Amino acid sequence: LHLRCAVTEYSGVSKKGHAPYNPRKKNQDALIMADDPATNTLILCVLDGHGEHGDGVSAQFRDQLAMEMMSHPCWATDIKKAAADAIAKVEHQVIRNFRIDTEFSGTTLSMAIIRGNKLIGVNIGDSRVILGLEEGGKLAAEEFTHDHKPDSPGEKERIVAAGGRVFAVEYDDGIDGPPRVWLGHMDVPGLAMSRSLGDAVAHTAGVISDPEFTEKELDPSSDRVIVVATDGLWEFVDNDETINLLFPTPGPAEAVDCLVKEANARWMQEEQVIDDTTII
């Protein structure tokens, strides 16, 4: 007998960004919201594609991943194995898809899987899952998945051991950009994350596709909300701000709308461009 899923309502949106110099820009983000009544499981996932074919990579995961997970023989008994195998299988299909060139293109993946009161986080790259808690009338954010940045402990060591390099490039205004992954002998690809799906060239320099799992038993007395989002949100809105912004809203649809508006406004203010933004 399966416990009823702890999540009672949810909403998600994927909004195309804005780049004045590229009016034909596509939304390279994607989202998955899939419900499996047979096991009382909810899959909430965001994908942030990058590179010329990033939209193709994220779209193929959007279209295939949930089905692959639910049809996996271990789905009912071992969620992590089912998820890891399904992700690897879809990635393999993307790489073999001759319409999608994954040499310099790929996607992040951040997923919350809720079955009964159990929450499993799955992460590859720099999208993120957080929790909002309410204790003694006070709100708090708990980071549930952890971004894979090239200079993260353990990540940098692996890249260097594989012959890759990690360094930031100075922008025109003299400020350092984010740390990026480069081949040992050439200044490509400059990927700003240490794990991703696709990205064949970066994978020769120690970038990997392995998902990192986090688990927790949800506490009905304090755990109030789960947010799954791409860095269109996290770039300028931190975990605590996110929880404080969404908390006064009446429901998930309004919460998502409020966060997208705030994130977009901050991008415009800071960069005069807006990143694709996907929030559940």
PDB file of all heavy atoms in Angstrom, residues 128 231-243 245 259 262-264 266-267:
ATOM      1  N   ARG A 128      18.362  23.792  -9.440  1.00  0.00           N
ATOM      2  CA  ARG A 128      18.354  23.520  -7.988  1.00  0.00           C
ATOM      3  C   ARG A 128      16.962  23.233  -7.448  1.00  0.00           C
ATOM      4  O   ARG A 128      15.961  23.743  -7.951  1.00  0.00           O
ATOM      5  CB  ARG A 128      18.935  24.743  -7.263  1.00  0.00           C
ATOM      6  CG  ARG A 128      19.233  24.533  -5.772  1.00  0.00           C
ATOM      7  CD  ARG A 128      19.661  25.842  -5.118  1.00  0.00           C
ATOM      8  NE  ARG A 128      20.785  26.452  -5.820  1.00  0.00           N
ATOM      9  CZ  ARG A 128      21.023  27.781  -5.810  1.00  0.00           C
ATOM     10  NH1 ARG A 128      20.231  28.606  -5.153  1.00  0.00           N
ATOM     11  NH2 ARG A 128      22.064  28.251  -6.463  1.00  0.00           N
ATOM     12  N   ASP A 231      18.596  28.236 -13.270  1.00  0.00           N
ATOM     13  CA  ASP A 231      19.314  29.401 -12.737  1.00  0.00           C
ATOM     14  C   ASP A 231      18.766  30.720 -13.262  1.00  0.00           C
ATOM     15  O   ASP A 231      19.222  31.779 -12.856  1.00  0.00           O
ATOM     16  CB  ASP A 231      20.820  29.288 -12.956  1.00  0.00           C
ATOM     17  CG  ASP A 231      21.215  29.400 -14.419  1.00  0.00           C
ATOM     18  OD1 ASP A 231      20.325  29.336 -15.296  1.00  0.00           O
ATOM     19  OD2 ASP A 231      22.420  29.545 -14.701  1.00  0.00           O
ATOM     20  N   GLY A 232      17.761  30.656 -14.143  1.00  0.00           N
ATOM     21  CA  GLY A 232      17.022  31.876 -14.491  1.00  0.00           C
ATOM     22  C   GLY A 232      16.465  32.505 -13.232  1.00  0.00           C
ATOM     23  O   GLY A 232      16.368  33.732 -13.111  1.00  0.00           O
ATOM     24  N   LEU A 233      16.124  31.682 -12.247  1.00  0.00           N
ATOM     25  CA  LEU A 233      15.700  32.181 -10.933  1.00  0.00           C
ATOM     26  C   LEU A 233      16.900  32.405 -10.023  1.00  0.00           C
ATOM     27  O   LEU A 233      17.087  33.486  -9.460  1.00  0.00           O
ATOM     28  CB  LEU A 233      14.732  31.195 -10.263  1.00  0.00           C
ATOM     29  CG  LEU A 233      14.322  31.546  -8.810  1.00  0.00           C
ATOM     30  CD1 LEU A 233      13.535  32.863  -8.761  1.00  0.00           C
ATOM     31  CD2 LEU A 233      13.506  30.421  -8.174  1.00  0.00           C
ATOM     32  N   TRP A 234      17.747  31.375  -9.869  1.00  0.00           N
ATOM     33  CA  TRP A 234      18.790  31.411  -8.816  1.00  0.00           C
ATOM     34  C   TRP A 234      19.895  32.429  -9.057  1.00  0.00           C
ATOM     35  O   TRP A 234      20.582  32.831  -8.122  1.00  0.00           O
ATOM     36  CB  TRP A 234      19.405  30.015  -8.646  1.00  0.00           C
ATOM     37  CG  TRP A 234      18.400  28.931  -8.435  1.00  0.00           C
ATOM     38  CD1 TRP A 234      18.227  27.811  -9.200  1.00  0.00           C
ATOM     39  CD2 TRP A 234      17.397  28.849  -7.396  1.00  0.00           C
ATOM     40  NE1 TRP A 234      17.191  27.047  -8.715  1.00  0.00           N
ATOM     41  CE2 TRP A 234      16.668  27.662  -7.607  1.00  0.00           C
ATOM     42  CE3 TRP A 234      17.058  29.672  -6.307  1.00  0.00           C
ATOM     43  CZ2 TRP A 234      15.615  27.272  -6.776  1.00  0.00           C
ATOM     44  CZ3 TRP A 234      16.012  29.285  -5.492  1.00  0.00           C
ATOM     45  CH2 TRP A 234      15.308  28.105  -5.722  1.00  0.00           C
ATOM     46  N   GLU A 235      20.095  32.853 -10.307  1.00  0.00           N
ATOM     47  CA  GLU A 235      21.169  33.802 -10.616  1.00  0.00           C
ATOM     48  C   GLU A 235      21.056  35.083  -9.773  1.00  0.00           C
ATOM     49  O   GLU A 235      22.053  35.597  -9.280  1.00  0.00           O
ATOM     50  CB  GLU A 235      21.148  34.144 -12.111  1.00  0.00           C
ATOM     51  CG  GLU A 235      22.313  34.982 -12.578  1.00  0.00           C
ATOM     52  CD  GLU A 235      23.656  34.243 -12.529  1.00  0.00           C
ATOM     53  OE1 GLU A 235      23.694  33.031 -12.828  1.00  0.00           O
ATOM     54  OE2 GLU A 235      24.657  34.899 -12.190  1.00  0.00           O
ATOM     55  N   PHE A 236      19.823  35.595  -9.621  1.00  0.00           N
ATOM     56  CA  PHE A 236      19.666  36.864  -8.892  1.00  0.00           C
ATOM     57  C   PHE A 236      18.703  36.803  -7.713  1.00  0.00           C
ATOM     58  O   PHE A 236      18.476  37.808  -7.042  1.00  0.00           O
ATOM     59  CB  PHE A 236      19.233  37.978  -9.856  1.00  0.00           C
ATOM     60  CG  PHE A 236      20.263  38.287 -10.909  1.00  0.00           C
ATOM     61  CD1 PHE A 236      19.982  38.089 -12.252  1.00  0.00           C
ATOM     62  CD2 PHE A 236      21.522  38.746 -10.553  1.00  0.00           C
ATOM     63  CE1 PHE A 236      20.944  38.355 -13.236  1.00  0.00           C
ATOM     64  CE2 PHE A 236      22.496  39.017 -11.519  1.00  0.00           C
ATOM     65  CZ  PHE A 236      22.197  38.817 -12.855  1.00  0.00           C
ATOM     66  N   VAL A 237      18.093  35.640  -7.468  1.00  0.00           N
ATOM     67  CA  VAL A 237      17.188  35.496  -6.321  1.00  0.00           C
ATOM     68  C   VAL A 237      17.687  34.308  -5.493  1.00  0.00           C
ATOM     69  O   VAL A 237      17.713  33.188  -5.989  1.00  0.00           O
ATOM     70  CB  VAL A 237      15.725  35.236  -6.777  1.00  0.00           C
ATOM     71  CG1 VAL A 237      14.784  35.248  -5.571  1.00  0.00           C
ATOM     72  CG2 VAL A 237      15.277  36.279  -7.808  1.00  0.00           C
ATOM     73  N   ASP A 238      18.104  34.562  -4.269  1.00  0.00           N
ATOM     74  CA  ASP A 238      18.680  33.455  -3.492  1.00  0.00           C
ATOM     75  C   ASP A 238      17.587  32.614  -2.831  1.00  0.00           C
ATOM     76  O   ASP A 238      16.394  32.916  -2.924  1.00  0.00           O
ATOM     77  CB  ASP A 238      19.727  33.960  -2.486  1.00  0.00           C
ATOM     78  CG  ASP A 238      19.131  34.796  -1.358  1.00  0.00           C
ATOM     79  OD1 ASP A 238      17.936  34.612  -1.017  1.00  0.00           O
ATOM     80  OD2 ASP A 238      19.862  35.636  -0.796  1.00  0.00           O
ATOM     81  N   ASN A 239      18.001  31.535  -2.173  1.00  0.00           N
ATOM     82  CA  ASN A 239      17.053  30.582  -1.585  1.00  0.00           C
ATOM     83  C   ASN A 239      16.089  31.244  -0.603  1.00  0.00           C
ATOM     84  O   ASN A 239      14.876  31.025  -0.658  1.00  0.00           O
ATOM     85  CB  ASN A 239      17.816  29.459  -0.862  1.00  0.00           C
ATOM     86  CG  ASN A 239      18.682  28.640  -1.807  1.00  0.00           C
ATOM     87  OD1 ASN A 239      18.577  28.762  -3.025  1.00  0.00           O
ATOM     88  ND2 ASN A 239      19.548  27.817  -1.249  1.00  0.00           N
ATOM     89  N   ASP A 240      16.646  32.052   0.322  1.00  0.00           N
ATOM     90  CA  ASP A 240      15.807  32.682   1.347  1.00  0.00           C
ATOM     91  C   ASP A 240      14.805  33.658   0.733  1.00  0.00           C
ATOM     92  O   ASP A 240      13.628  33.675   1.096  1.00  0.00           O
ATOM     93  CB  ASP A 240      16.675  33.413   2.381  1.00  0.00           C
ATOM     94  CG  ASP A 240      17.437  32.423   3.257  1.00  0.00           C
ATOM     95  OD1 ASP A 240      16.833  31.411   3.663  1.00  0.00           O
ATOM     96  OD2 ASP A 240      18.628  32.647   3.534  1.00  0.00           O
ATOM     97  N   GLU A 241      15.288  34.478  -0.214  1.00  0.00           N
ATOM     98  CA  GLU A 241      14.398  35.438  -0.882  1.00  0.00           C
ATOM     99  C   GLU A 241      13.263  34.711  -1.597  1.00  0.00           C
ATOM    100  O   GLU A 241      12.124  35.169  -1.599  1.00  0.00           O
ATOM    101  CB  GLU A 241      15.175  36.237  -1.924  1.00  0.00           C
ATOM    102  CG  GLU A 241      16.062  37.320  -1.366  1.00  0.00           C
ATOM    103  CD  GLU A 241      16.730  38.066  -2.504  1.00  0.00           C
ATOM    104  OE1 GLU A 241      17.558  37.452  -3.204  1.00  0.00           O
ATOM    105  OE2 GLU A 241      16.403  39.248  -2.701  1.00  0.00           O
ATOM    106  N   THR A 242      13.605  33.592  -2.226  1.00  0.00           N
ATOM    107  CA  THR A 242      12.615  32.811  -2.968  1.00  0.00           C
ATOM    108  C   THR A 242      11.465  32.400  -2.054  1.00  0.00           C
ATOM    109  O   THR A 242      10.285  32.598  -2.385  1.00  0.00           O
ATOM    110  CB  THR A 242      13.271  31.564  -3.598  1.00  0.00           C
ATOM    111  OG1 THR A 242      14.233  32.006  -4.577  1.00  0.00           O
ATOM    112  CG2 THR A 242      12.244  30.674  -4.274  1.00  0.00           C
ATOM    113  N   ILE A 243      11.802  31.857  -0.885  1.00  0.00           N
ATOM    114  CA  ILE A 243      10.775  31.401   0.053  1.00  0.00           C
ATOM    115  C   ILE A 243       9.964  32.588   0.573  1.00  0.00           C
ATOM    116  O   ILE A 243       8.729  32.534   0.647  1.00  0.00           O
ATOM    117  CB  ILE A 243      11.404  30.605   1.223  1.00  0.00           C
ATOM    118  CG1 ILE A 243      12.135  29.355   0.685  1.00  0.00           C
ATOM    119  CG2 ILE A 243      10.347  30.223   2.249  1.00  0.00           C
ATOM    120  CD1 ILE A 243      11.290  28.427  -0.179  1.00  0.00           C
ATOM    121  N   LEU A 245       9.438  35.467  -0.916  1.00  0.00           N
ATOM    122  CA  LEU A 245       8.618  36.031  -1.993  1.00  0.00           C
ATOM    123  C   LEU A 245       7.362  35.209  -2.239  1.00  0.00           C
ATOM    124  O   LEU A 245       6.279  35.749  -2.452  1.00  0.00           O
ATOM    125  CB  LEU A 245       9.428  36.102  -3.290  1.00  0.00           C
ATOM    126  CG  LEU A 245      10.392  37.271  -3.461  1.00  0.00           C
ATOM    127  CD1 LEU A 245      11.361  36.974  -4.614  1.00  0.00           C
ATOM    128  CD2 LEU A 245       9.645  38.570  -3.725  1.00  0.00           C
ATOM    129  N   LEU A 259       7.475  34.640  -8.741  1.00  0.00           N
ATOM    130  CA  LEU A 259       8.923  34.403  -8.816  1.00  0.00           C
ATOM    131  C   LEU A 259       9.467  34.681 -10.217  1.00  0.00           C
ATOM    132  O   LEU A 259      10.547  35.263 -10.367  1.00  0.00           O
ATOM    133  CB  LEU A 259       9.246  32.955  -8.409  1.00  0.00           C
ATOM    134  CG  LEU A 259       9.058  32.620  -6.922  1.00  0.00           C
ATOM    135  CD1 LEU A 259       9.227  31.122  -6.693  1.00  0.00           C
ATOM    136  CD2 LEU A 259      10.047  33.407  -6.052  1.00  0.00           C
ATOM    137  N   GLU A 262       9.680  38.475 -10.681  1.00  0.00           N
ATOM    138  CA  GLU A 262      10.790  39.050  -9.904  1.00  0.00           C
ATOM    139  C   GLU A 262      12.138  38.711 -10.547  1.00  0.00           C
ATOM    140  O   GLU A 262      12.994  39.579 -10.715  1.00  0.00           O
ATOM    141  CB  GLU A 262      10.739  38.523  -8.461  1.00  0.00           C
ATOM    142  CG  GLU A 262      11.799  39.099  -7.540  1.00  0.00           C
ATOM    143  CD  GLU A 262      11.709  40.611  -7.355  1.00  0.00           C
ATOM    144  OE1 GLU A 262      10.575  41.158  -7.412  1.00  0.00           O
ATOM    145  OE2 GLU A 262      12.765  41.235  -7.160  1.00  0.00           O
ATOM    146  N   ALA A 263      12.309  37.455 -10.935  1.00  0.00           N
ATOM    147  CA  ALA A 263      13.567  37.023 -11.552  1.00  0.00           C
ATOM    148  C   ALA A 263      13.821  37.786 -12.856  1.00  0.00           C
ATOM    149  O   ALA A 263      14.920  38.284 -13.097  1.00  0.00           O
ATOM    150  CB  ALA A 263      13.540  35.520 -11.813  1.00  0.00           C
ATOM    151  N   ASN A 264      12.794  37.894 -13.701  1.00  0.00           N
ATOM    152  CA  ASN A 264      12.920  38.610 -14.974  1.00  0.00           C
ATOM    153  C   ASN A 264      13.290  40.067 -14.770  1.00  0.00           C
ATOM    154  O   ASN A 264      14.155  40.605 -15.473  1.00  0.00           O
ATOM    155  CB  ASN A 264      11.621  38.503 -15.781  1.00  0.00           C
ATOM    156  CG  ASN A 264      11.449  37.147 -16.474  1.00  0.00           C
ATOM    157  OD1 ASN A 264      10.583  36.980 -17.312  1.00  0.00           O
ATOM    158  ND2 ASN A 264      12.270  36.168 -16.114  1.00  0.00           N
ATOM    159  N   ARG A 266      14.888  41.382 -12.278  1.00  0.00           N
ATOM    160  CA  ARG A 266      16.281  41.502 -11.810  1.00  0.00           C
ATOM    161  C   ARG A 266      17.277  41.274 -12.942  1.00  0.00           C
ATOM    162  O   ARG A 266      18.316  41.933 -13.009  1.00  0.00           O
ATOM    163  CB  ARG A 266      16.542  40.536 -10.660  1.00  0.00           C
ATOM    164  CG  ARG A 266      15.758  40.926  -9.408  1.00  0.00           C
ATOM    165  CD  ARG A 266      16.200  40.147  -8.199  1.00  0.00           C
ATOM    166  NE  ARG A 266      15.290  40.377  -7.077  1.00  0.00           N
ATOM    167  CZ  ARG A 266      15.510  39.920  -5.849  1.00  0.00           C
ATOM    168  NH1 ARG A 266      16.590  39.204  -5.589  1.00  0.00           N
ATOM    169  NH2 ARG A 266      14.643  40.167  -4.885  1.00  0.00           N
ATOM    170  N   TRP A 267      16.971  40.335 -13.844  1.00  0.00           N
ATOM    171  CA  TRP A 267      17.840  40.128 -15.004  1.00  0.00           C
ATOM    172  C   TRP A 267      17.915  41.401 -15.846  1.00  0.00           C
ATOM    173  O   TRP A 267      18.993  41.818 -16.257  1.00  0.00           O
ATOM    174  CB  TRP A 267      17.322  38.973 -15.873  1.00  0.00           C
ATOM    175  CG  TRP A 267      17.869  37.639 -15.474  1.00  0.00           C
ATOM    176  CD1 TRP A 267      17.291  36.733 -14.643  1.00  0.00           C
ATOM    177  CD2 TRP A 267      19.103  37.046 -15.903  1.00  0.00           C
ATOM    178  NE1 TRP A 267      18.084  35.613 -14.518  1.00  0.00           N
ATOM    179  CE2 TRP A 267      19.208  35.780 -15.288  1.00  0.00           C
ATOM    180  CE3 TRP A 267      20.132  37.471 -16.758  1.00  0.00           C
ATOM    181  CZ2 TRP A 267      20.304  34.937 -15.497  1.00  0.00           C
ATOM    182  CZ3 TRP A 267      21.222  36.618 -16.975  1.00  0.00           C
ATOM    183  CH2 TRP A 267      21.298  35.368 -16.336  1.00  0.00           C
TER     184      TRP A 267
END
